[in-house]
Amino acid sequence: MTRMTQLGGRVVAKGLQFPEGPVAMPDGSVVLVEIARQTLSRVLPDGRCLVVARLGGGPNGAAVGPDGLCYVCNNGGFEFGREPDGLVRPVRRADDYLTGRIERVDLETGRVDTLYTGCDAVSLKGPNDIVMDGRGGFWFTDLGKIHGRKMDRGAVYYARTDGSLIREAVHPILTPNGIGLSPDGRTLYVAETETSRLWSFEITGEGELRKLPFPSPHGGALVAGLPGYQRFDSLKVEAGGNICVATLMRGGVSVISPEGEWLEFHAAPEAYCTNLAFGGADLRKAWVTLSGFGTLVEVDWPRAGLRLHGQRLPGE
């Protein structure tokens, strides 16, 4: 039976402009993106928010690499709507959208370099979430965009941090969002937003995955699918292997075992619970982005989070 709890915790910051992609830093600050503000920002322990870099478009997911630089999935930009209660949410592709891209940011100087805008003559549509692999590269999802009556079919990519290679690993896949690696680095997890399904892929080489035959829609193995109207966003993995998926509409964090058991649901106070990051001395703290009302909260987590592969945080 699924254990149900309230997320609770300490409110670190309010008034952020659709925060996502948190990275817990050794000094107690949290680096994150503000999609609506179009920035990579740093939230200090006292709640102050400083702009690291102005990226434009729609900075979405973020991860620190082995070089101490921050790699950002930029979705190209959203148009946002506001509900009567003040909740802000993305509704479609921005009118000034150019293309999705992968950017690299120096956290000390704010310098921004664009690494990738496409793969094999196909432009990136809406890069979303990212995870380093500890071998000089990273995996990322491209959720795509809604524009007019059209909706992009998504993909999963692998790329090197030095800008020398990008490879399409999965296509098509419906609204791929959260992405993460198992503790041994051999399994890739991908969460789909609109289906509320979590998939796994066995990694066989650099940017290469073992694909299952039909009836898998894209070669992935189904780990879990949740009932009712809830949508998956970004994810992180615990040290013991459980997958923690930020869950929309029924806002909160769903904890799912590698075998597919829905272990826990930590309910959030709003519908747009979008991401989390583990940190602290023993990785037993979690920083959670509640994007609709622009809040960052810090909570005690019941188990240790996974030390991310290939991450070298400045100051460690």
Side-chain angles (χ1 to χ4, degrees), residues 60-80:
N60 206 141
V64 173
D67 48 14
L69 303 175
C70 190
Y71 292 77
V72 177
C73 289
N74 194 315
N75 65 45
F78 288 127
E79 293 293 329
F80 287 86

Side-chain angles (χ1 to χ4, degrees), residues 78-263:
F78 288 127
E79 293 293 329
F80 287 86
R82 184 180 294 271
E83 297 301 309
D85 62 358
L87 181 139
V88 174
R89 63 184 181 90
V91 293
R92 61 180 176 85
R93 190 175 73 180
D95 291 337
D96 59 355
Y97 169 89
L98 294 176
T99 186
R101 51 197 182 267
I102 302 297
E103 296 168 317
R104 182 173 58 201
V105 182
D106 188 316
L107 293 172
E108 299 300 321
T109 67
R111 173 177 170 171
V112 181
D113 296 306
T114 299
L115 285 184
Y116 303 102
T117 59
C119 175
D120 296 331
V122 176
S123 64
L124 299 178
K125 304 299 191 297
N128 191 290
D129 199 12
I130 179 172
V131 64
M132 295 288 158
D133 73 345
R135 298 181 175 88
F138 55 89
W139 300 88
F140 71 94
T141 54
D142 188 333
L143 187 145
K145 280 290 201 307
I146 296 173
H147 41 109
R149 292 177 177 265
K150 298 179 180 179
M151 180 178 180
D152 297 321
R153 297 208 291 176
V156 176
Y157 292 95
Y158 179 86
R160 292 178 185 159
T161 58
D162 63 5
S164 65
L165 177 142
I166 183 170
R167 177 174 291 161
E168 183 182 273
V170 181
H171 177 78
I173 179 170
L174 183 62
T175 59
N177 194 322
I179 193 165
L181 290 167
S182 60
D184 64 8
R186 297 177 181 175
T187 301
L188 184 73
Y189 294 109
V190 178
E192 288 181 331
T193 297
E194 297 302 340
T195 66
S196 189
R197 288 177 182 153
L198 178 66
W199 301 90
S200 69
F201 297 83
E202 179 187 345
I203 298 171
T204 59
E206 185 182 39
E208 297 177 346
L209 303 171
R210 185 173 75 89
K211 302 290 187 64
L212 300 180
F214 178 85
S216 173
H218 40 54
L222 181 64
V223 179
L226 299 193
Y229 183 41
Q230 44 197 328
R231 303 160 73 218
F232 280 163
D233 207 291
S234 296
L235 67 84
K236 292 295 187 297
V237 178
E238 295 178 350
N242 293 333
I243 305 98
C244 304
V245 188
T247 304
L248 310 176
M249 304 303 105
R250 185 184 182 184
V253 179
S254 298
V255 181
I256 299 168
S257 75
E259 295 74 34
E261 184 180 358
W262 186 19
L263 301 172

